[in-house]
Each structure stands twice: as structure tokens, then as C-alpha cells.
Amino acid sequence: MSEYIKQVAITGDISRIGTDDDLIRAWCAEVAKEIFEQKCEFAVVHVQGLHSAENPDYAARVICGCITDNPDIYRAFDCSMAFFDTKLTGLGNLYLFKNHSDVQYYDRFSSTGYMNVRLGHQHSIGVQECDGFIQNTFGQSYTFRRDFYNDDGTRDLANQRTGFLLSRFRIHGKEITFVNLNLHSLPFEDVNEIASKNASITKAAAKREEQIEMLLKELDEEGLRNDAILVAGSFNAQLHETDLLNYLAKTQLVQTVAKKDEDGNIESIEHVDRHGRRTTTVERTRFDLHSIHDWFFRLGRGQMVKRYNGELANISFKGNLKEETCFFQPSRHYELNEKGKEEFQRTLCPAWSDRILYNEKMNELFRHDSFCASGLYYGLVAEEKFVGPHKPVALHASICIK
């Protein structure tokens, strides 16, 4: 037996396609293709945003069915386990294994701890809880609502679902914990935060950092911090938009104009060039670089704005979680224009919101070899195909099982 096995982890947010059956199926087809092409021993699929669907249970069944019943996937894996939590967190975890005899799952309520994974597909959808999975909503309680977007495009913060769903497996004798999470998703509370020269971190970013600390504390309390840990989900991290706007103003030699409402609060920021043309407009539901918008965020696969992608730096610098470099363009926010061509939306600033991080123990299992096809790969799924506003993100890795 080889000392290494191939793993594929994919995370994706379906919160804006939950009512579009065709897009969900296209999303699933791209995910299944990504998994099959890697010829992996096991695959991890984490889904966020189930509560945006008209019928969350139906959407969960479509996702599970479209992936596990895909002919290539069906032949490649002899078992799978899934819990799609449509009641509480709106998160779904799906795990595919090539050989069920090599895997056990952890049940904290079992006297024996680890349980054998059975041959075939074990999918729990629409139940309150599931053996082998731990739910957490960061201490929040929710009243069910299909979506937290209001009719005017703003967000109803009282109804956005945040939380995590974790599971633990013993794979070829290695104990690995997988965490699916959805963090606070508002990029900024109001335009005044972007306009503030002293806003080193927005209130929303601080909230997300607080939630990550709560996750790490839960892992400690569950006695899992010594496991190899992989966290794949909607971190909802945003660019530091204040610094980005300052950079644009400086390089484009434009004038910054802040418009205020009747109460004296800033409601929009505009950059105007010497000919009176607007080059940038930022409002509560708009982030628009006008003529260069799509080009700018795609240039060099997003590397022009990568320097402003530092929201998760504190997590990395503290040594809690690590991440491969994002050598891919932002995972959000996409749409089709009137010609049917995919481009970045102009309602929110594009960002690397969907991420896959891991701890040092997991890092030790990875094969780090950039000159080998079995080394690490971190990038987008469906890079050339429109599958909704959020593109899934994948991490391919070879794991040492010696």
C-alpha cells in the first residue's frame, strides 16, 4: 500500500441558488467532476446556505443525490455519510469513501467511541440531530426564514444563519476532524465604516473573528485539538475596502466625494476623475468600479487586490489555523450579464469568502511537493462555468497514512 492517499475537500455556498433547480444541479455536476478527476480515496463536500431554498429538505436531497448517484462517483466510492442540517444551521456535510472498511466515524454518545462506517449511503436529511455530527450556532437562536435578504437587497441580520457542523473520522488509523462553518456574512455595517480612515477592522470582521475563537474553544472542550483538523466553509472574509479605495484614489488621481444623508451620515462614496467621470461608487448595496470593475478583480486571478485579503491573518498568525496561498480569483460575487457572460456583481465587493483552512497536525500529514502531481492544490471549482454567485473552492492533498 502507498504511504499516501489522495483527498479532495470542497466547500460551497448555495444560498443564492437555493430556489434554482437547474443551477443546483449544475453546481453538483461540477463538484462531482472535480472529485472524480482526482481519483481520490475520500472526498469532503461542505455546503452552506440550505435555508435559502424554498424547500431545504428537497435541495439537500438533490445535492446528495446528484453527487452520490453520479455514475462516475457511484463506481468510485462504495460508501458515503451525510448530514444535511436543514433545521438549525443550514449546513450540509457529505463524506465519500472509496473503501468503507478503512474508515470509522466518531460518536461521542457511544460507549465504544468509534463506529464502523457501513457499506452504502447513509444520508440524514431534515432531522434535528445525527449520530457522529456536532452542531453549534455560536449561541444564537433563530426563527426560521427562507432568506435574510430584504426586498431592497439589504440584509435582515436577525435571520442570517451562522454556526458550524463538525464530524470526526478515523481514516486508515488517522483521526481527522472536519468542520463546516458559516460565519457572519455582512461585509460592513454601513458606508461610514469604509469612509473611516481609522477603521483597521470592521464590526462585521470583528464578529467573524469572535466566532472563529468560539469554534476553537469548542474544539478544545470536545478534546479535538490534538486531531488533524480541516475547516472548510463560508468564512465570509472580505477585502479591506478602506485600503482598497485609498489605493484606487491614489493610483487613478481622482477626487473622493462623500455624500451625506439628512442626518449627516455618509451614504455613498464616489471617485471622480478630472473630466467629471465617476470611476468608483460605493453605497449600501453597491460596490462598482465602473469601466474597470470586472477586469480589475480578474487581473492576474485577483492578485491585484490580494494584498487587501488579510482578514484571516490574525487566525493564521496566532498559529491556530493555516491556509494555502490564494492563487485564484475571488470566489464571490458572480452574475451573468445581458449577453450571458459571467462577470463580477457590482452590488458587493468581490472577495475570497469561501476558504479551506487546517491546523498544524493536518499540515504534518500533507505531502508538500510543488513538483509532484500529488502535492497540494488550492483553487476554484467551475472556474469557467457559471454555477451561481458563489464558486466552490477545492483543496486537493495527499495525506500520509504511514
Side-chain angles (χ1 to χ4, degrees):
M1 179 185 292
S2 171
E3 294 181 357
Y4 291 89
I5 59 173
K6 189 71 176 287
Q7 167 225 289
V8 172
I10 297 175
T11 182
D13 188 327
I14 66 155
S15 61
R16 303 305 284 162
I17 63 171
T19 57
D20 190 323
D21 195 67
D22 290 339
L23 267 182
I24 290 180
R25 292 177 186 277
W27 186 96
C28 291
E30 291 297 316
V31 169
K33 177 183 176 184
E34 186 83 10
I35 293 170
F36 174 71
E37 288 181 346
Q38 296 308 309
K39 311 297 182 188
C40 54
E41 289 281 334
F42 73 95
V44 175
V45 180
H46 285 175
V47 180
Q48 305 85 41
L50 291 170
H51 280 136
S52 69
E54 194 75 43
N55 185 335
D57 289 359
Y58 170 75
R61 292 190 185 95
V62 169
I63 293 169
C64 276
C66 284
I67 295 175
T68 58
D69 292 342
N70 179 286
D72 291 331
I73 298 297
Y74 187 81
R75 288 191 295 267
F77 302 95
D78 75 2
C79 70
S80 66
M81 285 188 65
F83 176 32
F84 278 64
D85 178 19
T86 60
K87 300 297 184 186
L88 186 62
T89 62
L91 302 174
N93 294 17
L94 170 63
Y95 304 97
L96 300 150
F97 302 101
K98 187 174 183 178
N99 189 338
H100 71 284
S101 62
D102 296 329
V103 186
Q104 296 174 301
Y105 73 92
Y106 181 75
D107 184 355
R108 62 176 171 170
F109 298 114
S110 170
S111 59
T112 59
Y114 280 97
M115 310 284 288
N116 291 326
V117 173
R118 298 195 302 270
L119 180 68
H121 304 297
Q122 304 170 60
H123 299 167
S124 295
I125 296 172
V127 297
Q128 293 289 346
E129 57 185 26
C130 178
D131 292 344
F133 294 85
I134 299 174
Q135 306 147 280
N136 188 296
T137 59
F138 300 121
Q140 301 295 313
S141 59
Y142 300 107
T143 302
F144 178 78
R145 179 180 169 186
R146 185 174 63 82
D147 202 351
F148 61 86
Y149 281 80
N150 297 316
D151 292 339
D152 64 355
T154 59
R155 299 157 184 78
D156 181 353
L157 298 183
N159 281 285
Q160 66 164 310
R161 299 286 173 135
T162 60
F164 62 84
L165 182 63
L166 70 83
S167 52
R168 185 188 196 193
F169 291 91
R170 181 182 285 157
I171 304 172
H172 288 281
K174 300 293 185 181
E175 294 178 334
I176 305 177
T177 294
F178 299 103
V179 183
N180 182 3
L181 86 169
N182 187 30
L183 301 182
H184 186 69
S185 65
L186 193 71
F188 52 85
E189 300 294 342
D190 57 47
V191 180
N192 287 273
E193 280 198 290
I194 293 182
S196 174
K197 303 295 184 183
N198 300 318
S200 60
I201 182 171
T202 63
K203 296 175 185 176
K207 180 69 173 178
R208 289 189 282 270
E209 186 170 336
E210 176 188 329
Q211 290 173 337
I212 292 176
E213 293 295 339
M214 293 173 69
L215 165 63
L216 296 173
K217 181 180 178 182
E218 176 74 9
L219 291 171
D220 269 333
E221 293 177 351
E222 290 289 336
L224 302 176
R225 286 295 289 272
N226 291 326
D227 278 12
I229 300 172
L230 186 139
V231 185
S234 292
F235 284 80
N236 291 313
Q238 299 294 319
L239 301 184
H240 197 296
E241 293 161 1
T242 302
D243 288 350
L244 173 58
L245 290 178
N246 290 339
Y247 166 78
L248 289 170
K250 182 178 180 180
T251 56
Q252 294 180 318
L253 302 177
V254 295
Q255 180 184 3
T256 300
V257 178
K259 295 183 178 180
K260 297 184 178 181
D261 61 20
E262 56 186 19
D263 296 321
N265 297 314
I266 297 175
E267 61 180 4
S268 72
I269 301 170
E270 289 188 334
H271 289 165
V272 181
D273 67 15
R274 61 192 180 91
H275 300 292
R277 295 173 301 201
R278 291 190 297 271
T279 60
T280 301
T281 301
V282 178
E283 298 170 346
R284 191 179 181 190
T285 59
R286 187 179 179 189
F287 195 100
D288 189 354
L289 303 190
H290 296 274
S291 62
I292 68 167
H293 187 83
D294 195 63
W295 169 84
F296 183 77
F297 287 106
R298 289 180 184 273
L299 185 64
R301 292 190 169 184
Q303 299 312 294
M304 281 291 292
V305 293
K306 182 181 165 186
R307 72 182 77 174
Y308 308 109
N309 180 37
E311 185 177 311
L312 298 183
N314 285 341
I315 305 302
S316 299
F317 290 155
K318 291 177 182 177
N320 291 317
L321 296 171
K322 299 175 177 292
E323 183 184 23
E324 291 299 298
T325 303
C326 297
F327 285 124
F328 54 91
Q329 66 193 35
S331 61
R332 305 184 186 181
H333 305 268
Y334 295 89
E335 65 182 357
L336 294 177
N337 62 22
E338 63 277 3
K339 296 180 180 179
K341 180 183 178 182
E342 181 182 79
E343 63 182 17
F344 282 110
Q345 293 180 2
R346 297 167 187 264
T347 52
L348 291 167
C349 181
W352 287 271
S353 300
D354 309 274
R355 313 281 275 271
I356 301 177
L357 279 68
Y358 46 86
N359 69 348
E360 179 59 35
K361 196 74 174 285
M362 192 76 187
N363 185 54
E364 292 172 359
L365 296 181
F366 287 158
R367 180 173 185 172
H368 295 273
D369 187 351
S370 59
F371 299 101
C372 178
S374 59
L376 286 169
Y377 166 81
Y378 191 32
L380 295 179
V381 177
E383 190 167 9
E384 303 298 327
K385 185 178 177 64
F386 180 71
V387 291
H390 309 157
K391 286 188 182 294
V393 169
L395 177 69
H396 308 164
S398 292
I399 297 177
C400 179
I401 58 173
K402 186 176 180 180

